[in-house]
Amino acid sequence: MSTVVMILGIVVAFLLLGYMCMKGWSIYISAPLCALIVAVTSGMNPLSAIVDSFLPGTGEYLAQWFGLFMLGALFGRIMETSGAAASIAHSVTRVIGAHNACLAVILATSLMTYGGISLFVVVFVMYPFAVGLFQEADLPKRLLPGCIATGAFSFTAIALPGSPQNQNVLPTTYFGTTPTAAPVLGLIVAAYILVTSVLYMNWRARQAKARLEHFVPNEKDLAIMEANKNQQLPHIISSLLPLVVVICTIIFVGWDTMVCLLIGILLAIALFFPRLKGNFKETINQGALNSTAAIMNTSLTVGMGAVIKASAAFTIITEAIDKLSQGNGLVYEFISINVLAGVTGSASGGLSIALTTLSDRLLATGINPEILHRVAAISANGLDSMPWCGAVMTMFAVCGLTHKDSYKDVAVVNIAITMSGAVLAIILGSMGVC
């Protein structure tokens, strides 16, 4: 096959993957179909591409990361059902004030994701609280996804040292680091992303007020707000305790992230069992079930990436990226991860594909592994938030909004701002800041 045909096959495969995801096709169908397109246009045996590359790639990712996905989703469900998540959200609002609705949603979401609740399920936890807050502030609901995305998908997941989210844990496997890698660099970039995103969302809120836009609830929103009126919530200290324990055991004790999440789950069950005992089995079952869509979406896109890695076109692509980076290892890392995260629509998927294939080469540059870890994690959250990103589509579905309504804000906070944060990380890392 010619180089043009091979590259065109990969481009067509990813465009089709994005289109099918946006049109509601199951990833179980779209990922292997697109992998077959890559195989055929690269001159590979289609059956061998599926059996020897796609399925092993999918299975290896699933085996390695299922526990982390499942525990994070289970933790989120327990915190939601017990009312602990709502207690945290309401406490943040009381401190900040409902007039700062955007900041309140961002900080409350950030607390939960940094405390161990999976970013793939935090929108289910946050939405019931956030919709009431936006009603009180009389802000249009279309601004809500930008706020949730800032708190869930950006600085807490990628930049804050000790984060239990997958993007921060995954590089430890390839670089021999810990989740607290490059803490100074991470804190600086996290502060930049948070401040810039808050300023942007507040500006958008002022614009909406100037245009006399208002909060317009649907039937689901009205039902949620009615159910929340007389809800008895647990005390804020007991609500925060499981999150604090997860973070402290990761940062100060240095235990495995899955062990820390399990401790947080057991503590939450012990603290809130009286609130859970009426539907304990349903809570546990639903929490575990919530993890399956997220882990399979990512695993199947990684499987497709394994087919690309096995194709002759992969060498051509890596050489092209090498030329663009001009020999700078951090720039090479940034470009390769962003490209792969963008085409797969998955930060952890793109990160996994990139580090599986390129980590040895990156380590050979002599760059501090902690800096490589932090730049890799930050770079994963940029082009991953393309319109076909599964987490973005899930967030819009939960909020009852469309890409037309809210994607602009998500693109600004999760693509423009986080990518500029990655550029800042490269500059700091090149200066030796760690």
Side-chain angles (χ1 to χ4, degrees), residues 78-90:
I78 291 169
M79 294 291 285
E80 176 189 5
T81 304
S82 66
S87 175
I88 294 169
H90 282 296

Side-chain angles (χ1 to χ4, degrees), residues 26 41 58 77 112 152 192 209 217 236 240 249 274 331 346 401 424:
S26 170
T41 56
T58 300
R77 187 65 179 182
M112 294 179 201
Y192 162 76
K209 290 284 189 182
I236 182 59
L240 282 172
T249 50
V331 174
S346 167
L401 296 164
L424 174 60

